[in-house]
Every structure is written in structure tokens, then in C-alpha cells.
Amino acid sequence: MNTPEQRTDADLNAYVDGEMSERERAEMEVWLATHAEAAARVEAYRKQKEELHKLFDPIIDEPVPAVLSELIFQSRAAAPTSIGMRIVITLLLLITGAAGGWGLHGLQNSPQRTGLPNFVERAVGAHLVYASEVRHPVEVTADQEGHLVAWLSKRLGSPIQAPRLLSAGYQLIGGRLLEESSRPAAQFMYEDDRGRRLTVYVRAHAGGTTAFKFIGKDNVSAFYWMDAPFAYALTGDIPRQELLKVAHVVYEDLTP
Amino acid sequence: MDKKQAIIAEIPKLRRFARALASDPALGDDLVQDCLERALGRLHLWQKNTSMQAWLFTILRNIFVNQLRHAARRPREDPFDEHKDQSGGSAPMQGQRLMIHDLGQALDQLPEQQREVILLVGLEDFNYKDTAEILGVPIGTVMSRLSRGRETLRRLMDDGEHGGTPTLRRVK
């Protein structure tokens, strides 16, 4: 920091970018109040930042091109696939509590040491990968719903229905079989008339019933619950209240 | 698995940065694809407890710089850097009458080394220290490139406003 009478370009930029201590900031503000030319430059730099965001932020909301998400997905095939290796990796994850790679820790209150049930992470991960798919979002499309449901029920070991979400404005596009720690899981995908996609992830769950729990981060959030014989996660990038409404529809439709 | 989820979560921001850097959607996504391929191939090199985001941005930016070296698309060198390469590009304003309509066009006039700093700090919100690490330069260099770049942008935009036609967009 220079004397109160002198400020450099670097000072103006550090001020704009929040790279100053509280005290430096306060001193800068006093100084700027009497130096109109510098204050105008600070304002211009701020507007540049705003304009950058206006120009490029819409890209954040674009669906990720299939070719990019497929890359990540395909690279799984190159990972160790033997059951033995998977068990080792799963154990390591449990022991080190290393699951939760994209920072969901602390966003919810589950007492589990990994911070989040495995199936929720898997559900959100699968949502991120497949909901952005343009060409192959599902393995079996909704026009073969009978086949889809029979197939997934068989693999999951209990009869499962694709929840009907039309009353919430979401139409089934289809589903796919996934694996979670070498066990089968199912994903149903839905789309509304604006092209927004939700996924319902289902896997076998032996005991116990829980209330809805919520996790949210940046552009994706999920409600999840357990209701034997299944555990469910509803994932989407719509506002929490809207997602909760859909979660209730899913719950009611699946509960006899 | 968790590393891959961390990568997936960064894709939207990588695409934003790549498109701004390459000023072209297709080139931008090609960059992201190259970056992801390289990152997945070197996942063992990523160090736990370091920022996955900064690591990916470093890879992407390095791929871009390497491609630029081959293509020589726009002046790469910052003409005011010390140790300036004699063959470096010319300063953007010299003797040119430029019609600048928006910040995107003004950005295209900047030397690459100033543009990347402006994007990392101003768009991606990296602090100066992380920006310096991503670019592999001292913090002082980050600050001087940022200062010059922003000042050049400001003058370009001012010219657009005062010297242009009434249809020019005002930057708010």
C-alpha cells in the first residue's frame, strides 16, 4: 500500500478484486471519495467484470454436450473392474471417508461418516452424466415402458414402477440400469415441456424408512428417502420447492 | 469415482472459460474435450487436498497456449512485459480506428496474456495467487497484466461509446 496520497493501478485493481484487507479497503474508499478520475476507473473495471459475466455466464446453464460427459463415463471402463478391485476400492472409500468428491460434505446432517449415503452420490453423479446427454439419455425409451419396468424389477429383485409425474408436468423419457458398488440400480428420466430433466434413482434397500432429506449444490439438488424395499433419490436442477412438490408426487405414486 | 464426480462438476465452468478464451463455441468445446482427456489420463497426478478446479484450468490453459503457438492466431506476447520477445505482437490500439460494440469485441483486441488474466480473475473469480499458479508466473506479473488489460479495455469501450454510431451498445 502506498501513502494515502498515492495509489497505483495495482491498488485500484486489488480493490476491485477484493484482494485487500479490511483496513486497506476502508482507506481506499476514503481516498477514492476525493479522486474522481480513479473512482471512475474503478467503476469501469467493475462494469467490465459484470459485463464478462453477462457475456459468458449463460454457457454455465447450457446442457453439457454428450461427447464431454461420455468421456468421463467411458473412462470408467478403463478403471479396474474386477469385483475384487471394486471391493477394495469401496472399502478404502469407507475407511478414509473419502466419498463425496464434489463437496457435498456439510450440506446435510446425516450422521454417516461419509457425509452422504452412497446411493445419493451415485444418483447425483448419474444425473449429471446422463441428464445432459442429448443422444443417449436413456437405455430403454418410454415407448417400451412395460419392458423397461419388467427388466428393472427383475434386476432390482422387487417389483418397481416408473413413477407417473405427469401431474407435476414431467413426462417419462425412459430409464437405464446402473451399478452401485457392484449392485444393480435403476434410473428413470423425465422431461418437462421446457426440456428440463429430472431423474429418479432407485436401488434395493433392506430396512427402515426415513423422511425426505435434501442436498443442494450449485446447479443440482436432490431429495432422497428410504422406504423398504427401495431407497430413492430425485435429482434435478430446478428450485428446491418445485423439486419437493415432485418428490411428494413420486412418493405418493410409489406408495401403495 | 469421487475424483470423476469432481471433474464432472467443473465441466460447465471449464466450458465457460474455454469459450471465452477461444472466442468460439466449437473451439471451446474441443479445448474442454482435450483437457478432460488429459486430466483423466493423469488423474494419478492430481494431488488430494489441492483444488481440482485450479488443476483442470491449468491443463486447459496450457493446451490452449500450445495450440496458439502452432496457430499464431493473435498476438500472444504482452508487448509491455519485460523480457519482451522482439517478434511479439503490436499493441492493439496503435494507429487503428476500431469500432468496438461490446466487451467481447474489445477482449478480442487484447494480447492473449492480458486476456487470460482478465478471464481468470474477472470471470472465473480466481484470486491473484491461484491465477499466478495457473499461469506459472509471479503475482506481480498477474497484477501488471491485469492493470494494462483492464485499462486497454476501458479505452476501447470509451471509444466505442463516444466515437461510434448511436446504435452502439452502452456497457452497463
Side-chain angles (χ1 to χ4, degrees):
Chain A
M1 200 57 151
N2 294 276
T3 68
E5 297 312 314
Q6 242 187 342
R7 304 289 160 154
T8 63
D9 285 356
D11 292 331
L12 297 186
N13 281 282
Y15 175 70
V16 168
D17 295 318
E19 295 265 345
M20 283 183 160
S21 68
E22 277 301 312
R23 199 176 129 242
E24 288 170 332
R25 233 190 127 70
E27 286 174 2
M28 189 65 162
E29 271 156 19
V30 171
W31 184 85
L32 282 172
T34 55
H35 293 78
E37 192 268 345
R41 277 171 59 196
V42 163
E43 196 45 37
Y45 298 165
R46 278 213 178 111
K47 281 180 181 164
Q48 285 178 14
K49 287 179 88 160
E50 273 175 37
E51 193 73 7
L52 273 180
H53 280 284
K54 269 191 223 156
L55 262 179
F56 297 110
D57 279 358
I59 298 167
I60 295 279
D61 296 325
E62 289 176 8
V64 171
V67 66
L68 297 181
S69 44
E70 268 168 18
L71 258 184
I72 310 277
F73 177 64
Q74 281 165 359
S75 84
R76 288 185 62 223
T81 48
S82 81
I83 288 179
M85 271 310 279
R86 284 195 185 179
I87 291 170
V88 169
I89 290 169
T90 308
L91 286 176
L92 279 175
L93 285 175
L94 286 174
I95 291 163
T96 59
W102 50 283
L104 288 170
H105 298 289
L107 284 175
Q108 48 88 53
N109 302 317
S110 165
Q112 303 199 14
R113 51 187 304 196
T114 55
L116 202 62
N118 270 348
F119 83 92
V120 182
E121 268 206 80
R122 182 73 181 104
V124 173
H127 176 89
L128 289 171
V129 169
Y130 294 111
S132 58
E133 281 277 352
V134 178
R135 279 171 301 169
H136 312 295
V138 295
E139 251 174 313
V140 178
T141 50
D143 51 10
Q144 302 173 69
E145 187 180 338
H147 162 66
L148 174 69
V149 163
W151 171 51
L152 293 175
S153 297
K154 189 171 163 224
R155 294 308 307 269
L156 266 62
S158 308
I160 174 83
Q161 290 297 319
R164 282 169 297 261
L165 305 184
L166 270 181
S167 64
Y170 287 85
Q171 180 138 28
L172 181 71
I173 5 183
R176 66 169 65 235
L177 181 69
L178 297 169
E179 67 83 30
E180 180 197 319
S181 308
S182 302
R183 290 192 301 170
Q187 184 192 55
F188 296 107
M189 194 177 298
Y190 299 82
E191 194 170 65
D192 74 356
D193 52 8
R194 292 162 56 187
R196 296 186 303 179
R197 285 177 175 173
L198 299 177
T199 55
V200 175
Y201 180 94
V202 187
R203 74 121 154 92
H205 166 67
T209 300
T210 67
F212 284 162
K213 288 183 183 164
F214 176 80
I215 52 154
K217 184 184 186 292
D218 291 351
N219 50 1
V220 65
S221 43
F223 277 99
Y224 60 96
W225 66 97
M226 298 175 201
D227 188 8
F230 294 118
Y232 304 91
L234 170 72
T235 310
D237 54 357
I238 62 175
R240 177 180 177 151
Q241 278 313 312
E242 226 174 299
L243 194 64
L244 178 61
K245 270 185 214 156
V246 183
H248 280 294
V249 177
V250 175
Y251 179 79
E252 275 155 30
D253 195 57
L254 292 175
T255 309
Chain B
M1 182 74 116
D2 56 338
K3 283 184 190 173
K4 281 176 186 157
Q5 287 186 355
I7 293 179
I8 289 174
E10 294 302 334
I11 292 179
K13 280 187 175 176
L14 286 170
R15 293 185 72 227
R16 175 174 69 181
F17 179 58
R19 186 164 324 163
L21 207 55
S23 20
D24 178 284
L27 284 179
D29 276 346
D30 283 354
L31 261 181
V32 175
Q33 184 170 350
D34 290 348
C35 166
L36 294 177
E37 277 169 358
R38 200 162 299 183
L40 289 166
R42 301 174 175 183
L43 213 42
H44 58 286
L45 293 178
W46 173 67
Q47 292 174 314
K48 247 194 152 52
N49 306 322
T50 63
S51 160
M52 175 65 85
Q53 192 187 28
W55 186 64
L56 291 170
F57 274 73
T58 308
I59 294 174
L60 189 142
R61 181 263 177 185
N62 287 340
I63 294 172
F64 179 65
V65 169
N66 284 335
Q67 289 177 352
L68 267 196
R69 282 202 188 110
H70 293 295
R73 222 163 40 83
R74 66 158 67 83
R76 161 77 199 149
E77 300 294 329
D78 181 337
F80 297 101
D81 260 9
E82 306 119 295
H83 316 303
K84 171 191 158 193
D85 182 340
Q86 292 302 314
S87 64
S90 59
M93 288 297 286
Q94 284 169 0
Q96 296 177 40
R97 286 298 299 164
L98 294 165
M99 214 52 127
I100 301 299
H101 294 254
D102 61 26
L103 188 75
Q105 291 178 332
L107 267 179
D108 280 345
Q109 304 299 320
L110 290 186
E112 206 52 61
Q113 290 180 337
Q114 293 177 13
R115 253 164 55 95
E116 62 190 8
V117 172
I118 283 181
L119 294 176
L120 286 170
V121 173
L123 180 64
E124 303 300 336
D125 287 327
F126 284 106
N127 61 30
Y128 292 175
K129 182 172 161 288
D130 287 348
T131 303
E133 272 167 28
I134 289 171
L135 300 176
V137 298
I139 286 190
T141 305
V142 166
M143 291 169 76
S144 59
R145 286 178 187 169
L146 188 64
S147 295
R148 283 197 301 280
R150 281 190 174 148
E151 197 48 26
T152 306
L153 281 185
R154 189 177 70 88
R155 291 205 208 103
L156 286 168
M157 303 301 287
D158 271 1
D159 278 14
E161 267 182 33
H162 303 310
T165 66
T167 58
L168 293 186
R169 187 151 66 91
R170 197 182 173 85
V171 177
K172 288 184 223 146

